[in-house]
Amino acid sequence: MASNHSQKVEAIADHTDADNDSSHVNAKSIVLSNEAKVEQANAHSLINPKKEITFTVGTNDIAEAAHQIADQKAAAAKAAEEQAAAEQAAAEQAAAEQAAAEKAQQEAAEAAQNAAAASAASAASASSSAATTVSTETTTNKGTFKLSFYDPSVLGSGLGYGGVAANLSVFPKGTRLKITLSDGTVWYRTVNDTGSFAAGNPNQLDVAMPNSQIPSAGVLTATVEVVG
């Protein structure tokens, strides 16, 4: 009996020693495991340090948005200013062009008026010169003559209507005559023909004239002057 009891005590003791060894091993393993985890955590912290959220003035989203808005406003203001300047320049150019057109139109009108005035002055001068020439022409009064009329074309003559038939002993051919009627009408004719009636009556002239213009009275009287 004693032997069996002794074996049981030894077995228990062995078991106890075995359990103590196992507990010790387990405890040591836990300690080592915890140390490994701490070391691993420290190593992770060194490799991947904890990121902190920081805000730097002028670089965060709010400040950046504010800068963008300010830039957009500045750009819009500059564009508006440039557009206003362009519109003002266009208006000034249009005003200058209109002023130039009005000036050109005024100058053209003045030039036309000056040309018209010059033309009128020239015409007046020519008329005055002609009047002076007529008024200063020398004439010799030959008295009162009877006037009769004929149409050269009816007689087949080519002498035209600027001539007059006269007594060549009184008015040689080529003599220029000023014939003044009683009503003040003046004709200038050149002696270019004669006739039997003129040869027999030196105080009569036969004036060339179209039949449609011959006075209805047929025979008139007029004052006759030799021009030149």
Side-chain angles (χ1 to χ4, degrees):
M1 290 293 293
S3 176
N4 289 337
H5 181 74
S6 177
Q7 290 177 352
K8 288 180 181 180
V9 171
E10 290 176 359
I12 290 170
D14 292 337
H15 180 70
T16 300
D17 292 337
D19 287 341
N20 290 334
D21 292 338
S22 176
S23 297
H24 180 72
V25 170
N26 288 335
K28 186 176 182 180
S29 297
I30 290 171
V31 171
L32 292 175
S33 176
N34 289 335
E35 290 178 353
K37 288 181 179 181
V38 171
E39 291 178 355
Q40 184 178 3
N42 291 334
H44 180 74
S45 297
L46 292 174
I47 296 173
N48 298 310
K50 184 178 181 180
K51 294 182 178 179
E52 294 182 357
I53 298 175
T54 58
F55 291 94
T56 303
V57 176
T59 60
N60 57 68
D61 293 340
I62 296 175
E64 184 65 25
H67 282 303
Q68 291 179 358
I69 292 172
D71 291 341
Q72 291 175 358
K73 288 182 178 180
K78 183 178 181 181
E81 183 179 356
E82 291 177 351
Q83 182 177 1
E87 291 177 355
Q88 183 177 0
E92 291 177 353
Q93 182 177 0
E97 291 176 354
Q98 183 177 1
E102 291 177 354
K103 183 178 180 181
Q105 184 176 3
Q106 183 178 0
E107 290 177 350
E110 291 177 354
Q113 290 178 355
N114 292 336
S119 178
S122 178
S125 177
S127 176
S128 176
S129 176
T132 302
T133 301
V134 172
S135 63
T136 58
E137 67 183 3
T138 59
T139 60
T140 303
N141 192 333
K142 293 296 183 178
T144 302
F145 284 73
K146 288 183 180 180
L147 301 180
S148 58
F149 303 92
Y150 76 104
D151 189 339
S153 63
V154 174
L155 300 177
S157 172
L159 294 178
Y161 298 104
V164 61
N167 187 314
L168 299 183
S169 62
V170 178
F171 301 117
K173 281 187 178 182
T175 303
R176 189 164 181 254
L177 303 178
K178 178 182 178 181
I179 303 170
T180 304
L181 303 182
S182 58
D183 63 358
T185 302
V186 177
W187 295 331
Y188 286 90
R189 293 288 191 275
T190 300
V191 177
N192 61 358
D193 198 2
T194 187
S196 57
F197 72 92
N201 186 359
N203 293 325
Q204 183 174 346
L205 300 175
D206 202 12
V207 181
M209 188 172 290
N211 280 334
S212 60
Q213 298 179 15
I214 293 176
S216 59
V219 178
L220 301 176
T221 59
T223 301
V224 178
E225 300 171 83
V226 175
V227 179

